[in-house]
Amino acid sequence: MKESDPVDPSFRQSAWAKLTQLDSPEVLILGGGVNGIGLLRDLSLNGVSAVLLETGDFAAGASSASSRMAHGGLRYLEGREFKLVAESARERNMLLHDAAHLVKPLETVVPVKAWIRGLPQTILRFVGLSHKAAPFSVAALKCGLIVYERFGAIRRALPRHRVLINRGLFPAGLPADTRAVVSYYDGQITGPERLLFEMLDDAAARPGIAALNHIGWTVDDTGLFQVTDAALGHTHALRPRIIVNATGAAIDRVNATLGLETRFVRGVKGAHLALSHPQLFARMNGRAFYFDDGRGRMVICLPVGEIILVGTTEVEVHDPADHSVAETEISYLLTALNSLFGDIHIDRSHIAAVTSGIRPLQASDGNATQAARDHALRRNDRGGIPVLSLVGGKWTTFRAFAEQTADAILAHLGKARSQSTAGRAYPGANPPEAAVLARDAGLSVERAAVLIGRYGALGAVIGAYCGAYRGANADAPLQHAPDYSVREIAWLVDQRMASTLEDLVLRRMGVVMTGRLTRAALQEIAAIMAQTLGRGPDWIATHVDSCAADPRILWE
């Protein structure tokens, strides 16, 4: 098939067809990160017609560059952000209950070097007399965890904390001046992008809802949007009643395109290193380690897939498209991690990839580290059309933020809420037994278990798709990434609207987190993707070169 003769993936074709039926949607959401898609899901449940447009790929910003934690924000207590901690702990518990296939309990270990040293500084910050962070002491951490776990009492989902003072019970290799080890539990989102796509599927299946990525748009003075899919040459006009700006770090820039002058966002870039280090991975034993970098700033390292993720940095930036990771950030994280275990050395040779995302914090003065992490809904009007900007927020609290925004939209439209997302199971929850899927789809039990572990209940859908092919077209594992199969890749392209190789490997496959991605694997994956999309050899070469040169995908 020729490069100039692409095939419409079925999901994208369906989404565009729905878009053309929505000349006047009640809501237009700009931005396809977790805030925008969380809102789309809530609106779809309550009968509000809505279109979501993403100029790049879904979850391409901060939504795919987080620490993959569902947490209450223990450190936020020191800054007296009680409302945020209470909301975060409640939402964390909901995710653990309602998305248990992708959100798991995670033990977090904190090595502590002082019984009470640093406590006075912590108290001063707590009462608002100082903004300087202090290292954790056993006394301060113990008090904080009592409060923290009290906030997490609603739908409690996690064990309580414990304090170890017997050095014989400490993890091996901790520095000699470690006085105690405190461990507590939070949640880990093992597949944040997969959870996002589940919400997108759930919303898009309802009437009056359409969502598309890699879409261009312009708007005129009357509020008429011209929406363009440049790859397919499609154009459609929309006149929404409400505009929602959920573009994260680009909020102020997008508002300027809408004719609004705002200063809502303070962009703070955070980088993580993805490390392939079997000795360190074994030492961590499935636990996260949250430790002081020696200057009162906390660093976390946690197991993700087969690699270790360590982060994060805080660099104030003004370009929302800045995904670079500076040498100073890499050096800082390696130096900090090398202080954790005296008998384990980590260097640049262990880096498999990096992540980088810009947190859209609320605009403020002072140190970025002390900036509020809470979310806020800001309203402007553009020719009588409300423009709502979703500022801040984080993965843990996206559902609550979406609900608050949806309530404001429903009030403006004069509608009542009919359904809540609180306590609502995600589509991938409650997966079948691997043996049942293997029998129904004609797969091996081992392959069925991999699909269920990766996609939850949706593994049955993908398994049926993969198992439907027989004979010469039968599914087969990839040669250079055998945990994935040819038909699985085709399904992700066809049903997850991947348009570029980056879309696929970074935000749909999770293959980067195996630490075993190679250029040969990129070439193999690109060839399957090209066949599915109807692309040619030039497309494959261009996309493989681009991904191989991207340190977020392949560190060389």
Side-chain angles (χ1 to χ4, degrees):
M1 194 163 291
K2 297 179 181 179
E3 175 83 18
S4 60
D5 185 25
V7 172
D8 273 342
S10 61
F11 194 92
R12 188 174 191 86
Q13 188 176 32
S14 173
W16 185 267
K18 291 183 74 176
L19 176 73
T20 60
Q21 298 169 12
L22 293 167
D23 296 341
S24 301
E26 290 169 301
V27 179
L28 174 61
I29 302 171
L30 303 175
V34 68
N35 283 343
I37 290 177
L39 176 60
L40 186 73
R41 173 185 180 232
D42 197 307
L43 294 175
S44 74
L45 286 169
N46 288 282
V48 176
S49 61
V51 170
L52 183 147
L53 302 177
E54 168 58 57
T55 56
D57 189 25
F58 301 121
S63 294
S64 63
S66 72
S67 296
R68 297 171 177 257
M69 296 282 288
H71 67 100
L74 175 63
R75 195 82 204 214
Y76 303 153
L77 286 174
E78 193 176 23
R80 298 183 298 171
E81 294 187 73
F82 301 124
K83 179 176 176 291
L84 175 60
V85 175
E87 180 182 71
S88 299
R90 182 185 69 245
E91 295 297 320
R92 175 202 64 195
N93 290 355
M94 284 191 187
L95 284 168
L96 285 161
H97 283 293
D98 303 329
H101 60 303
L102 290 176
V103 185
K104 312 290 185 181
L106 178 67
E107 182 181 4
T108 303
V109 176
V110 187
V112 188
K113 297 183 178 182
W115 296 107
I116 60 172
R117 182 171 55 85
L119 180 59
Q121 181 62 42
T122 298
I123 294 172
L124 287 174
R125 187 178 176 200
F126 181 78
V127 299
L129 297 179
S130 173
H131 294 293
K132 182 180 179 181
F136 277 138
S137 65
V138 175
L141 189 53
K142 176 72 176 178
C143 293
L145 283 168
I146 291 172
V147 176
Y148 190 60
E149 291 173 352
R150 180 66 185 131
F151 278 128
I154 298 174
R155 296 188 75 188
R156 184 179 297 280
L158 298 168
R160 298 183 186 278
H161 73 278
R162 58 178 183 157
V163 179
L164 300 177
I165 59 174
N166 181 345
R167 189 168 185 88
L169 300 176
F170 291 2
L174 291 178
D177 58 352
T178 302
R179 298 289 179 262
V181 169
V182 180
S183 69
Y184 68 98
Y185 286 81
D186 261 321
Q188 180 177 23
I189 309 174
T190 60
E193 298 89 354
R194 290 174 188 144
L195 191 60
L196 186 148
F197 279 107
E198 286 188 24
M199 292 190 288
L200 189 60
D201 285 349
D202 196 22
R206 295 184 172 82
I209 300 293
L212 284 153
N213 60 346
H214 296 292
I215 288 292
W217 59 266
T218 59
V219 60
D220 66 18
D221 293 339
T222 70
L224 184 70
F225 283 76
Q226 293 291 340
V227 181
T228 303
D229 186 331
L232 300 178
H234 296 332
T235 301
H236 185 68
L238 298 174
R239 190 179 295 279
R241 293 176 59 183
I242 299 172
I243 301 168
V244 175
N245 185 348
T247 57
I251 279 176
D252 291 323
R253 185 170 294 185
V254 171
N255 278 342
T257 302
L258 296 174
L260 303 172
E261 185 177 344
T262 62
R263 186 180 174 270
F264 291 150
V265 170
R266 181 179 191 177
V268 178
K269 185 177 62 174
H272 296 80
L273 305 182
L275 304 172
S276 181
H277 197 304
Q279 184 187 8
L280 178 59
F281 192 88
R283 176 69 56 81
M284 291 170 66
N285 193 27
R287 302 165 295 184
F289 281 76
Y290 189 44
F291 59 98
D292 195 305
D293 69 351
R295 295 177 288 179
R297 188 176 183 278
M298 301 301 290
V299 174
I300 192 164
C301 65
L302 63 156
V304 176
E306 300 170 52
I307 58 91
I308 301 130
L309 200 65
V310 57
T312 178
T313 59
E314 292 186 318
V315 179
E316 192 148 6
V317 295
H318 301 288
D319 180 3
D322 183 357
H323 293 296
S324 63
V325 179
E327 181 60 38
T328 53
E329 296 178 272
I330 295 170
S331 297
Y332 165 75
L333 291 172
L334 289 175
T335 300
L337 188 55
N338 273 309
S339 72
L340 179 58
F341 297 115
D343 59 339
I344 295 179
H345 177 70
I346 306 100
D347 58 38
R348 294 174 66 93
S349 69
H350 297 111
I351 301 175
V354 298
T355 74
S356 179
I358 301 176
R359 308 176 190 91
L361 304 183
Q362 296 182 53
S364 62
D365 297 321
N367 191 321
T369 302
Q370 311 302 331
R373 262 50 177 178
D374 205 352
H375 50 74
L377 180 63
R378 306 296 187 199
R379 173 171 174 167
N380 298 89
D381 285 279
R382 184 186 190 278
I385 301 174
V387 178
L388 306 179
S389 297
L390 308 190
V391 183
K394 55 199 189 82
W395 252 104
T396 310
T397 57
F398 75 85
R399 191 213 63 83
F401 195 12
E403 185 173 72
Q404 293 159 21
T405 306
D407 283 341
I409 289 170
L410 289 168
H412 179 81
L413 296 173
K415 294 186 173 184
R417 174 175 288 277
S418 59
Q419 294 190 56
S420 173
T421 53
R424 181 182 180 86
Y426 290 79
N430 306 312
E433 294 291 333
V436 174
L437 174 56
R439 180 199 66 205
D440 293 346
L443 305 172
S444 69
V445 174
E446 293 76 16
R447 177 61 178 157
V450 167
L451 291 176
I452 289 171
R454 192 172 288 157
Y455 303 106
L458 296 183
V461 177
I462 301 166
Y465 179 89
C466 294
Y469 293 86
R470 296 288 187 269
N473 293 321
D475 197 17
L478 302 190
Q479 180 181 353
H480 299 287
D483 288 345
Y484 297 85
S485 74
V486 173
R487 296 298 172 190
E488 180 185 357
I489 300 304
W491 187 91
L492 289 171
V493 174
D494 191 56
Q495 297 298 309
R496 290 286 184 261
M497 288 195 283
S499 294
T500 70
L501 184 58
E502 177 195 314
D503 293 350
L504 185 59
V505 297
L506 263 188
R507 292 177 286 276
R508 286 157 182 80
M509 290 182 65
V511 67
V512 172
M513 295 304 168
T514 66
R516 292 181 277 108
L517 183 62
T518 62
R519 187 182 181 98
L522 288 174
Q523 186 78 28
E524 185 178 18
I525 293 165
I528 299 167
M529 186 176 185
Q531 184 177 22
T532 306
L533 291 173
R535 305 296 189 184
D538 290 345
W539 185 94
I540 294 173
T542 298
H543 283 252
V544 169
D545 287 346
S546 176
C547 285
D550 189 338
R552 297 174 300 161
I553 296 173
L554 194 61
W555 180 271
E556 291 184 336

